[in-house]
Amino acid sequence: MDRDEPLLIEMSKPGLAPVRVPEPDVPFRGASAWIPERLLRRTPPALPEVAEIDLARHYTRLSQKNFSVDTHFYPLGSCTMKYNPKLNEDFIRAPMIRRVHPYQDEASIQPLLRMLIETQEMLSALTGFPGISLQPAAGAHGELTCLMVFRAWHRAHGEEERTEILIPDSAHGTNPASVVTCGFRPVELRSNEHGLVDAAALREAVGPRTAGMMVTNPNTLGLFEREIVEIARILHDAGALLFMDGANFNAILGRARPHDFGVDAMHMNLHKTFAVPHGGGGPGAGPVGVSAELEPYLPVPVLVRDGDRVRLDHDRPLSIGRVRGFLGSTGAVLRSYCYLRMLGEEGVRRIADMAVLNANYLRATLGEILRVPHDGPCMHEFVATLEGLGNLPDRPALHAAKRLIDLGFHPPTTYFPLIVRECWMVEPTETESKETLDAFCEAVRRIAREAEENPERLTSAPTTTPVGRLDEVRACREPRLTWFDA
Ligand SMILES: *Cc1c(COP(=O)(O)O)cnc(C)c1O
């Protein structure tokens, strides 16, 4: 691959280092006093020496080579790339947050603990679950945590033989991965012709080995599982539990509470729904909510109110134990705290309304250009197929997505969910204007025309980016992450 951007080490000139480390003003015997002689370096490390202005330009140029939600429309279905208010960033950089040390005792971090427990209480109000844990570090980790809680619950009830977890075929790949990681066995459930879980098929599939089911609602086609109450009843009657993948909670935020429609446990991705930067900007957080019955199994420590203080409760004999160090991804949680406090109850409801309105506007407009197999009102996202688009030789969803990049848009999620061929999964989020959505539709219209008249345009895209099509397999298998002096 050609590089037009030199590495810092290649720009380096001796003597240009912008930082001079001052001599220590306390007695210092040097590292050699503690480190064995044979481990000491003979020559100084080859650190790049670059003037400050060149350093600033280097990193600024690098940052401009990529797409970001602050520069481009980013309709990445399921990943929820919404705008992250800058207020959140200012907030978590406040000295009272930034300077807290992980080993400080409870008494000295009461304001921090109070913000964390208030976040729990807000998440509890939005989901309906009395028990919340902020510990899990990401969505998949939240899934695993809930499954561990399920397993502990079944064991406590003498039901060790329950080892199977049902998963619809439209599920996110992390669902079966979490099931296997937890030591359960995933059992796939086929969606019906409407793209939904079929209650009759579910009734057939549950049995004495069923530990539970993972359902995504709205599902990855952007459809609300209309039979969710019946689905929960079938599982409960069979002695199994219902988990909801709530990574993308946008569509029903403040409008429906998963515990009310029969869910026993769910996870939320703060880095999707609750405005925490992700996709390289992490870390995120995947808090979980559980019913009163499952609460004793939550990870320790549990934050509890104790008069007007907040305490870390470690005394939970049934707990599955810790799943994360210290208090979890505090920086992510506090961004969401700031976001929720800023919006208030009314603002949170508006998120759901606008996310659904924007998705339906795009679905209706793009539906004139592409086919939407499961048509009809959607929630926060929808899935279109590009099968048979224009005169492309193969993989139309891929080529059209690459061409979108040339036209200034981040592509939607492609080839997911697996049950729709040549698909795009489009999620505009609530923060986009009608003008942006219209411009996106115009770009897709142009691509559809080019696919007919000039398919080369698509198969050779992108041409406006620093790099074109990457060999993703090779990048995975043979990553070159270390610089060697040639
Ligand atoms: C993103 C996502 C996940 C996984 O979340 P991570 O934080 O990436 O682990 C799980 N399920 C769905 C539906 C998602 O969109």
Side-chain angles (χ1 to χ4, degrees), residues 125-149:
L126 290 167
T127 58
F129 291 111
I132 303 279
S133 172
L134 300 173
Q135 269 188 41
H141 196 197
E143 293 170 24
L144 179 64
T145 303
C146 288
L147 291 170
M148 288 165 75
V149 166

Side-chain angles (χ1 to χ4, degrees), residues 78 138-140 143 172 174-175 216 220 245 247-248 267 269 271-272:
S78 198
E143 293 170 24
H172 194 270
T174 50
N175 290 188
T216 307
T220 60
D245 179 330
N248 320 88
H267 83 87
N269 278 15
H271 46 293
K272 290 181 185 168

